[in-house]
Amino acid sequence: MLNRRNFLKNLSLAGPLAAMPSALLQAQPEIRSGNIDLTVITLKGKVQSQGKGIAGVAVTDGINITQTDRNGQYTLQSNATASFVYISVPAGYAIPAEKHIAAFYRPLLKNSAVQRHDFSLEKLVTDDRQHNFVVWADTQIISKQDAEQLKTQSVPDLQALVKSYPAGTLFHGIGCGDLVWDHFELFEDYKQAIDMCGIPFYNVIGNHDMDVDARTDDYSAQTYKQQFGPTYYSYNRGEIHYIVLDDVFFIGTAKKYIGYLTENQLQWLEQDLALVKSGSTLVISLHIPTNTGAARRERKAEELSGVVSNRKQLYKLLAPFKTHIMSGHTHFNDNWEEGNIMEHNHGTVCGAWWTGPVCGDGTPGGYGVYEVNGSDIKWYYKSTGLAKDVQIRTYAKGKAKDAPEEIAANVWNWDSKWKVEWYEDGILKGAMEQRVAYDPLAQELYTGPQLPKKHTWVEPYLTDHMFFAKPSADARNITIKATDRFGNEYESRVI
């Protein structure tokens, strides 16, 4: 991971910005010379469905939040520093989208002291207390060839997954940052891929989606905003309150950033959560994980660019709720749980930056799938091109370089509530030993200065989800069984 970061520091930004809707071009934020423009703007409008107002909908300019009255009307005092007015889509309504990209916002007009922005929503005919969502982390396309792989491999896999559920099942997606790899002209290819998927997608800004020629963090999201709107917002589906945050803080030097949540976001989040019933389930999506086990595994100091520095301030705000955090960025799979918070740090859609089928920890390229029933959430990791019940990769004795006398298994979506056991010639031998280790396939594919050919700086990573056992010398048949926290069993024979 460190070598990767050194490489990325030297990677040049290339390519013109792709074509975009004219309304967004006209509304793009701009750096103003002189004093900050604090001209008061009055925002008014109506949130409605088939002409009937919807009461209690949260409306925000990213600074303050108001709610619609019983007639669906809202008034919000804003100022010229705001870029958008947007809503927290309420439960029971379809996600508004344009070519399947969530369209929950309106760009603010320039030089208009009183503005009206209405929102029309479509009421669902399906009970959205049951719904699914997927998390696509790090599509990270840097070329048309990468974009083609996204469209011809990842998109059909997601299409097939959606079709495998009963007709009418509600799905939405979360693009968890690094949608492209600095080449902003490829945002159009990303959007085309999303449109092909056929489900609405909300998106998260990543470090490779930022303007790295900006003077400060305040202006580092200009291009992203032109393409996808606000970088932090919320929405509702069924009993779940969803929040998206921007935790990539650009420090004003090309390619350098830290994981950090600004005060503007935290004060906005306080207002947002004040409208949510205590004890509710939250799903928070951000690019840089709030925390991982990487520093512990590597026995190194925590990287400022690898986790959120002020995460404990976030956790304080989340204390009254049950929270699942969705993150990407690391290119490995890592789950941790403490108290009322569980973080799912996802393996990537791009595998090893579209140069190999697995991430550095051996997790196959793929995405998270989450099934919601009321306030309960179940999940699994879907590997691109593999059946959903493929959750283990096993290695025969001699395959793991650091444990040549042992069999090994990579259970990539493991968390502390999984159980991993092994059988020798049909007899249960007990739990396998969990150890911090490298995945043998990742080592084979990515170790050495010439591997992999496309991106030779890709490296294997230490991971917590490797398991080991020492079989008898005369063992003939060995099977590994992993049972997840929901009681689902997955078996794999060691060959």
Side-chain angles (χ1 to χ4, degrees), residues 203-422:
N203 292 287
V204 180
I205 189 171
N207 53 289
H208 288 293
D209 305 316
M210 296 192 307
D211 298 291
V212 295
D213 57 349
R215 187 166 73 180
T216 64
D217 181 69
D218 295 295
Y219 300 106
S220 64
Q222 289 189 87
T223 301
Y224 177 91
K225 288 178 178 180
Q226 292 161 4
Q227 298 286 338
F228 302 103
T231 61
Y232 58 93
Y233 53 90
S234 68
Y235 60 99
N236 303 274
R237 180 147 273 201
E239 298 179 19
I240 309 298
H241 184 63
Y242 292 85
I243 300 167
V244 168
L245 296 174
D246 170 7
D247 66 348
V248 185
F249 189 89
F250 178 62
I251 63 173
T253 301
K255 304 292 180 183
K256 292 188 178 181
Y257 55 89
I258 61 173
Y260 182 78
L261 292 165
T262 63
E263 176 60 24
N264 285 349
Q265 284 187 82
L266 291 177
Q267 68 85 26
W268 172 88
L269 181 59
E270 284 183 300
Q271 297 177 68
D272 182 81
L273 292 177
L275 303 177
V276 182
K277 182 180 177 181
S278 180
S280 297
T281 299
L282 309 179
V283 171
I284 296 184
S285 299
L286 34 69
H287 181 60
I288 297 176
T290 67
N291 201 10
T292 74
R296 167 182 50 79
R297 290 190 292 267
E298 298 171 2
R299 298 182 180 181
K300 295 179 180 178
E302 189 175 274
E303 289 187 17
L304 290 176
S305 61
V307 293
V308 176
S309 299
N310 58 338
R311 58 183 175 269
K312 290 185 179 179
Q313 301 305 319
L314 172 64
Y315 299 162
K316 288 179 182 178
L317 297 180
L318 302 180
F321 308 98
K322 180 180 179 181
T323 303
H324 290 269
I325 299 174
M326 309 289 156
S327 56
H329 185 59
T330 63
H331 292 243
F332 56 67
N333 220 63
D334 199 31
N335 297 308
W336 66 266
E337 186 174 16
E338 184 175 334
N340 64 328
I341 297 175
M342 183 169 189
E343 180 154 7
H344 310 262
N345 184 213
H346 296 79
T348 65
V349 173
C350 69
W353 293 269
W354 301 109
T355 194
V358 299
C359 303
D361 67 338
T363 300
Y367 50 97
V369 182
Y370 296 82
E371 300 172 336
V372 179
N373 184 3
S375 62
D376 294 326
I377 304 178
K378 295 182 178 180
W379 58 87
Y380 60 91
Y381 186 87
K382 176 63 177 69
S383 302
T384 303
L386 300 177
K388 62 184 288 187
D389 61 355
V390 177
Q391 298 290 326
I392 314 169
R393 185 186 307 110
T394 57
Y395 296 98
K397 190 165 66 172
K399 291 292 186 179
K401 295 179 180 179
D402 297 328
E405 297 301 315
E406 297 177 289
I407 59 169
N410 190 335
V411 186
W412 43 79
N413 208 29
W414 173 86
D415 62 59
S416 61
K417 294 194 173 136
W418 281 62
K419 182 169 62 175
V420 183
E421 303 167 297
W422 67 294

